Amino acid sequence: MRILSIATLFPNPAKPSFGIFVGNQMRAVVADGAVDLTMVSPIGVPPWPLSRRKPYDALSALPEESDASGIAVHYPQFTLIPKLGGDSNPARIARAVLPLARRLHGEQPFDLVDAQFFFPDGPAAAIVARALGLPLTIKSRGADIHYWGKRPAALAQMLGAAQQAAGLLAVSEALRADMIALGMPEDRITVHYTGLDRERFHPVERGAARALVSAVPELGIWSQGPLIVTPGSLIPRKGQRLVIEALAQLPDVRLALAGVGEDERALRALAASLGVDERVHFLGQVGHDLLPHLLCAADVLVLPSASEGLANVWIEGLACGTPIVIPDIGGAREVVQDPSAGRLAQRTPAAIAEAVRDILADPPGQEQVSANVTRFSWGVNAANLVRFWRAVLDGDPLGQGPHVAVQDAPAAS
């Protein structure tokens, strides 16, 4: 199969950790050997002179093609209008991608056009697929449905792309239900769970991991005391404010926030106002090599997001043997099926604090926690994605009639 896949969130030479989970998936697809993959990651750059400002200056200088992510990726640039033009991004992305897609299709025809996110990738890929006369598949991951699905202009484009698509993917059963509620065709939506780098994310004895991260200068984690880790961009949707407020009810517990974002100043001010600033450590962006050690060192991973499909970091934390505290959102119930995996808690400081106290009072063993995610791997994820594409081309996107999750068997390590 020759697949043209479009992903606006994908690693690039300027931001090697950007969309690393999509990069992991697509490297595994290439390694599977059944697909001739052409990966296109459109780069949004605002008009000059904004393009010469951070963070756009490095993006505007990206090469048209690079294999820095481990596979060959094309990086066509489209005009981005920051904060204002989100609803109209698909058309601009399609205009940037179409000349490249037509040229490559003319040299060696593609079988299918794929989008790795529902917005803006899905409607953009729909335009490209129509122009090339090819079938279309689209994957939804969470925020692309929960955020953009509330914007009428974006939703209209998403529903049009969904009706055009020969097959659709959702990262959880819960997200599939949300897609159906928006009006997407139920008989074309298959569940495709995320993957996991099992060589990178696995239990390391907590005391040893804690000693390691406390000795790493760029982390400088406290060596003693119960530790909560909250990974993710510092933005309101991720709910770090709730964790800081919960910390005020958890004496002696310390919190490490792993991520950067627009909310950092407000979060620092909140921690100071609550008198917990000496127990909150802002780590900044934690590299992918250090993240597994940080997760292993934590007693609890807390991520009270307002919305998720099925977050990769939930799976990564559990794989490291760290129980999680998350809201009952998206695919949470598909992951936290046993008390050893953690707790589902309401998005309130009191509920989060109670869940953390409960885990700290009787912590499960790391291997017991890790056993909750034995079915996840990037190899299985990639094989199921390839199987889905083949089924779409065979005219059976759900692969035997009634929908089934395409990652429902234990994964090989």
Side-chain angles (χ1 to χ4, degrees):
M1 290 183 292
R2 290 204 75 233
I3 305 294
L4 171 63
S5 187
I6 298 171
T8 50
L9 191 64
F10 201 87
N12 62 61
K15 301 173 72 175
S17 295
F18 189 60
I20 196 165
F21 54 96
V22 189
N24 288 338
Q25 173 185 269
M26 292 317 209
R27 280 191 294 271
V29 165
V30 171
D32 181 272
V35 169
D36 182 359
L37 177 70
T38 296
M39 196 72 223
V40 177
S41 181
I43 302 295
V45 178
W48 188 89
L50 289 178
S51 61
R52 303 308 303 166
R53 299 179 182 177
K54 291 183 179 180
Y56 301 112
D57 52 354
L59 292 176
S60 63
L62 283 176
E64 293 182 359
E65 184 176 357
S66 172
D67 60 1
S69 68
I71 58 175
V73 183
H74 297 271
Y75 296 105
Q77 295 186 6
F78 68 96
T79 301
L80 177 73
I81 304 174
K83 299 186 181 295
L84 299 175
D87 292 337
S88 57
N89 277 337
R92 287 193 295 274
I93 290 170
R95 283 196 295 270
V97 171
L98 257 176
L100 171 67
R102 283 196 170 106
R103 175 174 65 80
L104 296 175
H105 186 57
E107 294 171 357
Q108 190 175 355
F110 296 111
D111 295 304
L112 182 147
V113 177
D114 167 72
Q116 282 296 309
F117 295 85
F118 226 106
F119 197 88
D121 308 19
I127 296 171
V128 173
R130 284 198 303 272
L132 301 183
L134 294 174
L136 169 70
T137 59
I138 308 172
K139 184 167 186 175
S140 62
R141 296 178 181 270
D144 48 357
I145 295 296
H146 298 139
Y147 176 77
W148 293 103
K150 296 177 182 177
R151 297 174 63 109
L155 177 59
Q157 295 175 72
M158 290 161 65
L159 291 177
Q163 290 300 328
Q164 177 183 332
L168 304 170
L169 292 175
V171 297
S172 68
E173 290 281 359
L175 187 59
R176 180 179 186 271
D178 291 341
M179 294 166 68
I180 294 168
L182 285 178
M184 296 183 183
E186 179 177 0
D187 61 350
R188 284 177 244 167
I189 308 173
T190 299
V191 176
H192 181 230
Y193 289 128
T194 188
L196 172 68
D197 185 342
R198 303 193 66 80
E199 293 185 2
R200 186 182 298 271
F201 295 96
H202 58 84
V204 172
E205 195 276 323
R206 183 162 289 123
R210 188 71 176 272
L212 187 151
V213 297
S214 66
V216 174
E218 56 263 48
L219 294 182
I221 297 292
W222 308 272
S223 61
Q224 301 294 325
L227 176 65
I228 294 172
V229 167
T230 297
S233 300
L234 304 183
I235 55 177
R237 182 174 68 85
K238 293 294 185 179
Q240 289 94 349
R241 168 178 290 271
L242 298 171
V243 191
I244 293 173
E245 291 174 343
L247 194 68
Q249 305 176 38
L250 296 166
D252 302 324
V253 174
R254 300 177 185 273
L255 168 64
L257 299 175
V260 296
E262 63 193 43
D263 236 16
E264 180 171 344
R265 180 177 297 180
L267 293 172
R268 286 183 180 274
L270 174 64
S273 70
L274 294 174
V276 297
D277 48 318
E278 292 187 357
R279 293 192 284 130
V280 180
H281 195 166
F282 289 80
L283 302 179
Q285 192 67 49
V286 176
H288 212 57
D289 289 336
L290 285 176
L291 181 60
H293 299 292
L294 177 63
L295 297 181
C296 287
D299 296 280
V300 188
L301 185 156
V302 181
L303 187 61
S305 304
S307 65
E308 297 282 359
L310 192 152
N312 289 72
V313 76
W314 296 352
I315 307 303
E316 292 167 348
L318 290 171
C320 289
T322 303
I324 62 178
V325 172
I326 58 177
D328 189 1
I329 56 171
R333 288 180 180 268
E334 296 161 55
V335 174
V336 181
Q337 298 180 333
D338 183 90
S340 63
R343 304 290 186 274
L344 300 181
Q346 292 183 355
R347 297 185 74 243
T348 67
I352 293 168
E354 181 180 359
V356 170
R357 275 194 298 268
D358 197 30
I359 292 172
L360 293 178
D362 186 18
Q366 285 179 272
E367 294 294 342
Q368 184 184 8
V369 175
S370 182
N372 287 281
V373 291
T374 54
R375 67 189 187 277
F376 293 91
S377 82
W378 285 120
V380 171
N381 171 279
N384 284 326
L385 181 56
V386 171
R387 188 176 74 184
F388 166 75
W389 284 331
R390 185 174 291 114
V392 166
L393 292 175
D394 289 342
D396 184 12
L398 298 185
Q400 310 173 27
H403 95 277
V404 294
V406 297
Q407 184 165 320
D408 52 8
S413 60

